[in-house]
């Protein structure tokens, strides 16, 4: 693949590069944005890599944020308060598969050599419009290949997360993983167990968000052996139906809950937030208990019970085989919309009587109040026209 004469570098980024170069520090654009530009896909911010040490970057720019100062990354704020990451040329001098001790004061070549894949190790000089591609990343872009920079075994052993990154980029761009890189990924997969749950979760979630097809990403995780270690609730053989995963919206919690036999246990392992775990648990609990859309009271009862998770359960439907259901489940979204439009009462809060009304009508204070409200709600879910004060009090 030839390089374009110029890349459209955003003004703010160009200004930062010029200031660094003006102070005598070599500065290049690197990483994802260069790769994405060459691929002609939408790209985000241009990361800069520079010879300037982090302290110098902080000194040269008035407004900075030390976003990853221990790795040499300083974010420079532009006039619109957007952050632009500037990272000092670095080399990893000690690694243990999870963290690296880094050394500054090295060359662009050293900096490119510590990057994960050839397609991520291309540099472009935003002022001189020169290219540096010592590992032939452009050829791999052309041949649609994910290839480790250097010896794949070593590179994965330096940081096992790179195995998951390879899977993510492969699924995102529909690139093959070069055979030796893939072999090394499989051979070193046990090292994934050392990673922190947070880093693994980020990769899995980002992978779901960016894959061309989630089914492809899942197949890669299963084939390489990563799923066995971190997502054991997702059966490799396909015990649950997972074949329609590509029909789901790109919501990582929803997709994970769809795939896993026990979604809450999976997300607990990945140290997800309690909110996400509860959401996944609800999806797991209810995904086999849809109501018959032809029976309105059943739909109302279901809406009342699933509460805030109703939309997740509706979003899951395209992933479920209609043949599982003895009723026309595909009509459910429309029926739910109608129930909502009618503003049918669905919770005790919607009832035409409150706890105080029951007390005034002679119900004893204590658990009986709640129980009575629940009983009244059950009647109203059967028939919303019963939701009048007179009727409900007559039933107390
Ligand atoms: P994305 O589109 O996901 O942001 P990206 O390539 O920009 O893709 P980042 O995680 O933002 O990925 O990292 C920026 C660059 O830093 C990468 O292109 C790569 O050169 C390098 N890099 C990131 N993580 C690693 C890693 N674990 N090992 C080696 N190099 C890495
Ligand atoms: Mg990036």
């Amino acid at each position: 693949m030839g390089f374009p004469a110029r890349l459209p570098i955003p003004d703010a980024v160009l200004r930062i590069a010029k200031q660094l170069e003006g102070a005598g520090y070599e500065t290049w654009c690197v990483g994802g944005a260069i790769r994405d530009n060459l691929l002609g896909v939408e790209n985000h911010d241009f990361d800069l890599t520079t010879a300037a040490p982090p302290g110098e970057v902080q000194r040269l720019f008035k407004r900075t944020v030390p976003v990853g100062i221990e790795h040499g990354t300083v974010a420079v704020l532009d006039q619109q308060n957007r952050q632009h990451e500037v990272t000092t040329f670095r080399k990893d001098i000690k690694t243990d598969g999870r963290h690296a001790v880094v050394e500054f004061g090295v060359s662009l070549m050293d900096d490119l050599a510590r990057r994960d894949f050839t397609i991520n190790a291309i540099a472009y000089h935003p002022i001189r419009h020169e290219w540096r591609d010592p590992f032939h990343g452009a050829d791999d872009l052309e041949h649609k290949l994910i290839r480790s920079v250097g010896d794949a075994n070593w590179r994965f052993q330096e940081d096992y997360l790179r195995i998951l990154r390879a899977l993510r980029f492969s699924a995102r761009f529909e690139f093959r993983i070069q055979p030796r890189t893939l072999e090394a990924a499989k051979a070193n997969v046990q090292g994934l167990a050392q990673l922190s749950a947070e880093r693994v979760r980020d990769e899995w979630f980002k992978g779901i968000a960016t894959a061309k097809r989630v089914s492809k990403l899942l197949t890669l995780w299963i084939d390489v052996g990563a799923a066995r270690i971190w997502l054991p609730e997702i059966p490799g053989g396909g015990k649950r139906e997972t074949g329609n995963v590509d029909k789901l919206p790109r919501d990582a919690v929803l997709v994970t809950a769809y795939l896993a036999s026990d979604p809450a246990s999976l997300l607990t392992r990945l140290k997800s937030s309690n909110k996400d775990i509860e959401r996944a648990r609800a999806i797991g609990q209810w995904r086999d208990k849809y109501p018959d859309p032809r029976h309105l009271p059943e739909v109302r009862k279901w809406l009342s019970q699933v509460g805030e998770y109703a939309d997740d359960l509706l979003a899951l439907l395209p992933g479920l085989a209609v043949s599982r259901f003895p009723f026309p489940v595909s009509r459910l979204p429309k029926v739910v919309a109608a129930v909502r439009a009618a503003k049918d009462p669905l919770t005790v809060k919607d009832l035409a009587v409150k706890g105080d009304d029951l007390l005034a009508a002679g119900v004893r204070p204590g658990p009986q109040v709640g129980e009575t409200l629940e009983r009244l709600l059950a009647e109203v879910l059967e028939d919303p026209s019963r939701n009048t004060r007179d009727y409900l009090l007559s039933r107390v």
Side-chain angles (χ1 to χ4, degrees), residues 261-298:
S261 56
D262 181 345
S265 118
L266 192 158
L267 288 191
T268 302
R269 182 177 312 97
L270 292 185
K271 296 210 166 91
S272 285
S273 66
N274 288 335
K275 187 164 170 268
D276 284 352
I277 293 171
E278 286 320 310
R279 194 177 152 215
R281 190 193 312 284
I283 295 170
Q285 237 162 42
W286 288 101
R287 66 185 165 202
D288 296 319
K289 300 179 189 130
Y290 286 91
D292 183 341
R294 296 166 304 187
H295 191 51
L296 265 177
E298 211 182 295

Side-chain angles (χ1 to χ4, degrees), residues 117-227:
F117 304 109
T118 61
I119 60 169
N120 290 343
I122 305 172
Y124 170 75
H125 199 285
I127 302 160
R128 297 201 305 270
H129 309 293
E130 289 171 16
W131 293 87
R132 293 287 183 278
D133 182 17
F135 306 103
H136 310 289
D139 291 342
D140 287 341
L141 281 176
E142 186 174 333
H143 297 117
K144 297 174 174 278
L145 270 185
I146 308 291
R147 180 201 307 267
S148 287
V149 169
D151 182 89
N153 266 303
W154 293 350
R155 302 312 311 286
F156 288 144
Q157 284 161 21
E158 282 175 350
D159 180 0
Y160 290 104
L161 193 76
R162 290 172 187 156
I163 295 174
L164 302 183
R165 287 173 59 88
L167 310 184
R168 169 159 65 91
F169 291 124
S170 172
R172 172 170 167 199
F173 300 122
E174 296 189 307
F175 279 18
R176 274 188 316 127
I177 301 174
Q178 180 238 4
R180 289 173 79 145
T181 301
L182 183 60
E183 253 169 63
K186 289 180 177 166
N188 290 289
V189 78
Q190 211 47 51
L192 290 177
Q194 301 180 23
L195 294 174
S196 76
E198 289 83 354
R199 291 182 85 201
V200 173
R201 185 190 65 225
D202 281 356
E203 271 305 320
W204 172 241
F205 278 23
K206 253 197 234 176
I208 291 172
T210 59
K212 278 249 172 63
R213 274 176 307 179
V214 176
S215 56
K216 179 67 209 251
L217 179 76
L218 177 63
T219 303
L220 285 168
W221 274 66
I222 290 172
D223 289 351
V224 164

Side-chain angles (χ1 to χ4, degrees), residues 216-389:
K216 179 67 209 251
L217 179 76
L218 177 63
T219 303
L220 285 168
W221 274 66
I222 290 172
D223 289 351
V224 164
R228 188 168 41 76
I229 296 171
W230 278 99
L231 317 170
E233 292 83 359
I234 300 182
K239 213 164 64 195
R240 282 187 45 72
E241 35 163 331
T242 55
N244 288 323
V245 66
D246 295 323
K247 295 186 183 156
L248 299 183
R250 291 310 177 91
D251 178 310
V253 173
L254 185 82
V255 166
T256 305
Y258 168 79
L259 293 172
S261 56
D262 181 345
S265 118
L266 192 158
L267 288 191
T268 302
R269 182 177 312 97
L270 292 185
K271 296 210 166 91
S272 285
S273 66
N274 288 335
K275 187 164 170 268
D276 284 352
I277 293 171
E278 286 320 310
R279 194 177 152 215
R281 190 193 312 284
I283 295 170
Q285 237 162 42
W286 288 101
R287 66 185 165 202
D288 296 319
K289 300 179 189 130
Y290 286 91
D292 183 341
R294 296 166 304 187
H295 191 51
L296 265 177
E298 211 182 295
V299 174
R300 285 192 216 101
K301 211 174 295 170
W302 177 80
L303 276 172
S304 172
Q305 289 176 317
V306 302
E308 61 181 307
Y309 303 113
D311 287 313
D312 278 336
L313 292 162
L314 292 179
L316 210 60
L317 279 177
L320 305 175
V322 286
S323 58
R324 288 174 18 139
F325 300 95
F327 45 76
V329 74
S330 54
R331 288 190 210 158
L332 186 59
K334 271 210 175 120
V335 175
V336 167
V339 169
R340 285 174 170 166
K343 296 208 160 52
D344 287 347
L346 296 173
T347 71
V348 288
K349 283 205 196 88
D350 302 328
L351 291 177
V353 293
K354 305 284 162 243
D356 286 346
D357 301 319
L358 300 190
L359 293 173
V363 177
R364 244 180 292 140
Q368 278 204 357
V369 177
E371 286 162 17
T372 309
L373 287 171
E374 288 298 338
R375 204 162 42 73
L376 296 177
L377 176 63
E379 287 205 39
V380 167
L381 289 171
E382 280 292 330
D383 178 359
S385 73
R386 294 170 174 167
N387 193 28
T388 65
R389 209 181 134 80

Side-chain angles (χ1 to χ4, degrees), residues 8-190:
I9 306 294
D11 273 349
V13 176
L14 192 59
R15 260 199 292 274
I16 296 167
K18 280 185 173 156
Q19 189 158 345
L20 286 162
E21 287 270 340
Y25 298 110
E26 203 188 329
T27 300
W28 295 74
C29 293
V30 281
I34 299 297
R35 174 200 65 216
D36 293 349
N37 248 279
L38 291 172
L39 283 173
V41 304
E42 194 195 330
N43 60 80
H44 37 92
D45 252 11
F46 283 81
D47 295 333
L48 291 172
T49 182
T50 182
E56 272 294 282
V57 178
Q58 288 174 309
R59 199 182 59 78
L60 280 166
F61 299 93
K62 269 203 235 89
R63 300 191 309 139
T64 61
V65 185
V67 287
I69 195 86
E70 65 287 5
H71 306 113
T73 305
V74 173
V76 175
L77 295 179
D78 66 16
Q79 277 137 348
Q80 279 92 52
N81 282 328
R82 282 174 310 204
Q83 298 195 0
H84 302 278
E85 289 197 358
V86 178
T87 304
T88 304
F89 291 161
R90 60 175 252 204
K91 187 169 155 178
D92 300 342
I93 51 174
K94 220 178 85 197
T95 57
D96 64 359
R98 292 184 291 170
H99 326 90
V101 178
V102 309
E103 179 183 280
F104 303 127
V106 300
S107 67
L108 173 69
M109 285 305 147
D110 287 324
D111 186 86
L112 293 177
R114 65 97 187 159
R115 290 173 185 273
D116 49 6
F117 304 109
T118 61
I119 60 169
N120 290 343
I122 305 172
Y124 170 75
H125 199 285
I127 302 160
R128 297 201 305 270
H129 309 293
E130 289 171 16
W131 293 87
R132 293 287 183 278
D133 182 17
F135 306 103
H136 310 289
D139 291 342
D140 287 341
L141 281 176
E142 186 174 333
H143 297 117
K144 297 174 174 278
L145 270 185
I146 308 291
R147 180 201 307 267
S148 287
V149 169
D151 182 89
N153 266 303
W154 293 350
R155 302 312 311 286
F156 288 144
Q157 284 161 21
E158 282 175 350
D159 180 0
Y160 290 104
L161 193 76
R162 290 172 187 156
I163 295 174
L164 302 183
R165 287 173 59 88
L167 310 184
R168 169 159 65 91
F169 291 124
S170 172
R172 172 170 167 199
F173 300 122
E174 296 189 307
F175 279 18
R176 274 188 316 127
I177 301 174
Q178 180 238 4
R180 289 173 79 145
T181 301
L182 183 60
E183 253 169 63
K186 289 180 177 166
N188 290 289
V189 78
Q190 211 47 51

